[in-house]
Amino acid sequence: MYSSKITGLGHYVPENVVTNDDLAQWMDTNDEWIQERTGIKERRWIDPKTGDTTAVMGAKAAKIAIERANLTKDDIDFIIFATLSPDMYFPGGGVQIQDLLEMPTIGALDVRNQCSGFIYSLSIADQFIKTGMYKNILVIGSENHSGGLEKSTRGRGVTVIFGDGAGAAVLSRSEEEGRGILSSHLHSEGKHAKELALIGPSTERWVPEIIKDNDPEDVSYFPHMNGQFVFKHAVVRFSEAIVEGLQANGLNKEDIDMLIPHQANLRIAQFIQKKFGLADNKVYNNIMRYGNTTAASIIIALTEAWEEGKIKENDLVVLAAFGSGFTWGSVVIRW
Ligand code: UT7
């Protein structure tokens, strides 16, 4: 029986820093409100002149992860790419990564699970490796939010929260028992789909229809979030997902060495930290610097925590996410 372990990690964020004061020039908001409600101080937004896109950033992060895994692009058997902000409506970004990295004609799968996208992707990769089908899988999360946000007071409830960036992991076959990915748990509750959604362009709100209506009040093509509703569900589902992951492995909260929560809101992460009684050095947050980067958030945070030496051999690492869908889940790793 094979297991899977992370052998390489990489991340890439655009150089362009957008502070809360920068945002206050375009909309009625302020640094105090943003920091108090979300913990965010700044985020990275793509400067279009640089040529960065969702796929380009994903490829940059992937290159680093492959190198750190001591592999070459030719060793990768499969690509799993998670994003809610693909460069094109179709095809998905996975094939762009295959092309940008000049990889052989391996399979590329796109995952559309928003903030839980990386958790879902890792879980899928783990299954492919456990069955023996693939040996090395590239798992990527990348987002270009800034291109599609409403940069005015009307959009401030959403726009101040989201940032751009990408992260990647190489998941490889291992024969060491009790190491690597120990479990993954995935959930959804589609009745709340529209509480955090971007409706159009889509077959429900197609581009010609949006143009024909030419309605200045139409916000269907900007992301919408019922913030308080999402917040209330997030704190419950995050906790459930962590407990479920621990219980499945006969572990307790005291066994956690590092919790990497999806970076939705620092207040949510702090609530979870308190609830599980975790010391500051057992939870990694970087939302202060990057905002919420959705499918990229967990993998960027995991990469930074590892780069900073905060994750060591044999540590128990718990990843947990909640977001649009609603979707949520956890992955438990023995590093
Ligand atoms: O990643 C996926 C999962 N996402 C989440 O889990 C996010 C969950 N939700 C949240 O993090 C929070 O609900 C937000 C950060 C989005 C909002 O914080 P809140 O404390 O729930 O604020 P609110 O939406 O209740 O708004 C409070 C007030 C409103 O004004 P009134 O009605 O009280 O006069 C808003 O219009 O704050 C106003 N407001 C702002 N003011 C300044 C909303 N956005 C802004 C802003 N700057 N950017």
Side-chain angles (χ1 to χ4, degrees), residues 85 191 225 244:
S85 51
K191 73 176 173 193
M225 173 161 67
E244 188 177 26

Side-chain angles (χ1 to χ4, degrees), residues 152-165:
S152 68
T153 298
R154 191 171 64 174
R156 66 182 180 175
V158 171
T159 301
V160 303
I161 295 168
F162 292 98
D164 302 338

Side-chain angles (χ1 to χ4, degrees), residues 37-335:
R37 308 274 176 145
T38 71
I40 301 166
K41 293 176 197 275
E42 58 187 42
R43 73 286 294 139
R44 306 297 180 96
W45 278 4
I46 286 175
D47 174 353
K49 291 195 290 290
T50 60
D52 276 344
T53 69
T54 300
V56 169
M57 292 192 299
K60 287 179 180 174
K63 263 189 186 165
I64 300 167
I66 294 170
E67 207 179 293
R68 286 177 173 169
N70 289 321
L71 298 174
T72 73
K73 62 182 173 64
D74 298 327
D75 297 314
I76 302 296
D77 303 312
F78 194 61
I79 300 164
I80 304 179
F81 188 72
T83 187
L84 66 65
S85 51
D87 295 355
M88 294 182 264
Y89 188 88
F90 75 83
V95 296
Q96 289 177 278
I97 300 290
Q98 182 273 334
D99 181 45
L100 285 165
L101 296 184
E102 298 175 342
M103 294 173 125
T105 55
I106 56 171
L109 173 72
D110 287 88
V111 169
R112 297 201 48 186
N113 288 78
Q114 301 66 246
C115 303
S116 311
F118 195 77
I119 295 285
Y120 270 74
S121 300
L122 263 189
S123 177
I124 297 164
D126 182 42
Q127 313 313 315
F128 272 129
I129 287 175
K130 276 188 184 143
T131 59
M133 182 157 172
Y134 295 128
K135 236 175 161 175
N136 298 301
I137 301 181
L138 184 57
V139 186
I140 305 163
S142 181
E143 303 287 2
N144 167 6
H145 285 299
S146 62
L149 295 168
E150 189 179 24
K151 299 181 187 88
S152 68
T153 298
R154 191 171 64 174
R156 66 182 180 175
V158 171
T159 301
V160 303
I161 295 168
F162 292 98
D164 302 338
V170 175
L171 202 68
S172 302
R173 179 189 290 178
S174 160
E175 291 182 37
E176 268 181 276
E177 227 175 286
R179 294 290 291 274
I181 294 188
L182 302 183
S183 66
S184 54
H185 291 90
L186 310 174
H187 295 280
S188 72
E189 194 175 31
K191 73 176 173 193
H192 300 310
K194 289 192 176 172
E195 303 296 345
L196 175 46
L198 192 155
I199 308 294
S202 62
T203 50
E204 188 171 319
R205 190 90 179 104
W206 208 232
V207 176
E209 198 185 323
I210 294 171
I211 295 171
K212 181 172 74 44
D213 290 353
N214 194 22
D215 175 2
E217 298 301 315
D218 181 13
V219 288
S220 63
Y221 45 86
F222 290 119
H224 156 79
M225 173 161 67
N226 183 353
Q228 292 199 3
F229 187 85
V230 177
F231 193 107
K232 283 178 196 150
H233 283 256
V235 289
V236 174
R237 298 307 193 185
F238 260 114
S239 305
E240 285 177 5
I242 296 166
V243 169
E244 188 177 26
L246 290 172
Q247 280 179 353
N249 295 290
L251 298 164
N252 300 310
K253 55 187 189 331
E254 292 75 25
D255 296 313
I256 298 176
D257 293 303
M258 178 56 76
L259 170 67
I260 311 245
H262 161 57
Q263 300 292 288
N265 184 322
L266 191 60
R267 305 291 158 252
I268 295 176
Q270 287 168 337
F271 177 90
I272 303 297
Q273 176 176 353
K274 202 166 158 207
K275 185 163 179 190
F276 285 85
L278 299 172
D280 286 348
N281 64 350
K282 297 202 167 181
V283 183
Y284 191 86
N285 291 304
N286 59 11
I287 190 169
M288 307 72 90
R289 291 178 279 125
Y290 300 136
N292 178 348
T293 58
T294 311
S297 108
I298 286 184
I299 179 60
I300 295 176
L302 179 64
T303 304
E304 287 197 339
W306 173 79
E307 285 170 349
E308 291 169 23
K310 292 180 174 156
I311 297 176
K312 295 173 289 301
E313 272 306 273
N314 223 34
D315 273 358
L316 190 80
V317 179
V318 178
L319 315 178
F322 172 86
S324 163
F326 293 153
T327 58
W328 64 97
S330 65
V331 169
V332 177
I333 304 171
R334 176 67 68 189
W335 205 261

